[in-house]
Amino acid sequence: MSRKKTLSRTKMFSLVVGAAALAGATAVVMTGTSQASVACDGLATALGNNEAFIADQRANPDPQSEARIANRTAVVEEIKRKQAASGCAVGEGAAADAGAGTETGAGSGAEEAEAGAGDTGAGTGPGNGTGADTGTGTGDVVCAGSTVTLSGEAGAPAASSNQLPIGSTIRVTNLDNDKSTTVKITSVSGSCTLLNDAAFEEVREPGKFLIRNAKIEQIRSVDG
């Protein structure tokens, strides 16, 4: 009788340990799934914004539209590669930000500023983003409540916008990790603020392609 009780207690202990291990494994899986979801959400937002921008350029072409579309098409393919590498649904884009694809507020000199660049390699020219924030200067908060994601473009730290004029200097702060980067707007995009890859790396959290809790400040206008 006592032997049966001992076995029963041993089995019960094993069941308790097994249940605890399963709960821990489930928590790890859920955490990993949550992080993957954030990464996929950011890439989907970036894809949606770029696709909306391309659609708008095709619907409302100007002399620079062909170059912009070619550049954004390359960016879209790069985002899809990132989606595949992150285990996300490839080609799945989120609804574009309000006003995505439009050039409202981009400034009357936007087309002239882009004429020689063809909207390629944002952040590669002289006078572009300064990169990691030095902590100096104050600015006016713009695009309150906006999330920030990456444009997928290469080059030195820079940003693009559909609401701020080309040449503006902005500071983007990730309030979740207190990291900031100060960059210039170098091209038009389909969102209030898109950071290129180099600028986004300076403020991102590991494994994430979307900053949900961001503060965007305009430090200096085109007129200085």
Side-chain angles (χ1 to χ4, degrees):
M1 182 70 69
S2 61
R3 185 169 180 272
K4 289 183 178 179
K5 288 183 178 179
T6 301
L7 288 174
S8 178
R9 287 172 184 164
T10 301
K11 288 180 179 179
M12 184 177 296
F13 178 74
S14 298
L15 287 172
V16 171
V17 172
L22 178 60
T26 301
V28 170
V29 171
M30 290 179 67
T31 300
T33 301
S34 176
Q35 291 176 341
S37 176
V38 172
C40 292
D41 287 349
L43 290 170
T45 298
L47 182 62
N49 286 336
N50 279 287
E51 288 178 335
F53 182 81
I54 290 172
D56 180 75
Q57 289 294 304
R58 286 174 174 161
N60 304 284
D62 63 38
Q64 300 303 316
S65 290
E66 185 176 349
R68 293 192 190 110
I69 290 171
N71 174 251
R72 297 295 170 169
T73 298
V75 169
V76 164
E77 292 307 311
E78 177 60 26
I79 292 172
K80 288 179 179 179
R81 283 192 288 272
K82 285 184 170 70
Q83 286 180 321
S86 301
C88 308
V90 178
E92 183 176 280
D97 292 345
T102 66
E103 297 188 11
T104 304
S108 59
E111 288 76 12
E112 290 81 354
E114 290 188 333
D119 194 33
T120 60
T124 59
N128 288 322
T130 58
D133 187 38
T134 59
T136 61
T138 59
D140 299 321
V141 174
V142 295
C143 307
S146 293
T147 57
V148 175
T149 188
L150 75 169
S151 66
E153 294 177 297
S160 56
S161 176
N162 68 350
Q163 297 186 34
L164 300 171
I166 290 174
S168 296
T169 299
I170 62 169
R171 181 195 293 121
V172 176
T173 303
N174 183 343
L175 298 177
D176 290 328
N177 60 12
D178 292 326
K179 290 184 178 180
S180 298
T181 183
T182 300
V183 294
K184 282 189 176 182
I185 301 294
T186 59
S187 64
V188 180
S189 71
S191 181
C192 172
T193 301
L194 291 180
L195 297 177
N196 73 348
D197 287 357
F200 194 81
E201 283 296 326
E202 293 176 347
V203 294
R204 71 180 292 185
E205 293 180 87
K208 296 184 178 181
F209 292 95
L210 178 68
I211 302 173
R212 297 184 185 278
N213 192 17
K215 180 169 74 170
I216 306 168
E217 300 169 274
Q218 184 172 5
I219 304 302
R220 184 172 56 253
S221 69
V222 174
D223 294 328

